[in-house]
Amino acid sequence: MKNIEKYVELTAELINLPLQSEHFPGVVANMERIAAIAQLVTDFPLPPEIEPAPKFDLEKWGEKIEK
């Protein structure tokens, strides 16, 4: 993520979250940490023999519970 400050600002606006100016630097710092952790996960190479997890289908899951 290139501009985390702008991301925080726009996301807060989008979800109608009042973000006080004194909290803004802390929120940005936490988002930078989250982005760094996410980068480790997304950059981790997976061997080709690894199969993706099955897709969770809430409708099918709900049918099983109702029966």
Side-chain angles (χ1 to χ4, degrees):
M1 194 173 298
K2 296 185 182 202
N3 191 339
I4 293 180
E5 289 182 1
K6 190 67 173 174
Y7 175 81
V8 168
E9 179 184 318
L10 292 175
T11 302
E13 184 179 326
L14 180 68
I15 64 173
N16 198 25
L17 177 69
L19 188 55
Q20 297 176 0
S21 59
E22 63 266 18
H23 296 150
F24 188 77
V27 173
V28 169
N30 282 318
M31 287 303 296
E32 288 170 342
R33 290 181 191 106
I34 291 168
I37 293 167
Q39 193 70 44
L40 292 172
V41 173
T42 58
D43 287 348
F44 187 82
L46 294 175
E49 62 270 8
I50 298 291
E51 294 184 23
K55 179 183 171 199
F56 177 73
D57 188 341
L58 181 59
E59 289 177 8
K60 288 182 181 177
W61 185 72
E63 289 174 6
K64 291 179 183 178
I65 288 178
E66 290 173 5
K67 291 181 180 179

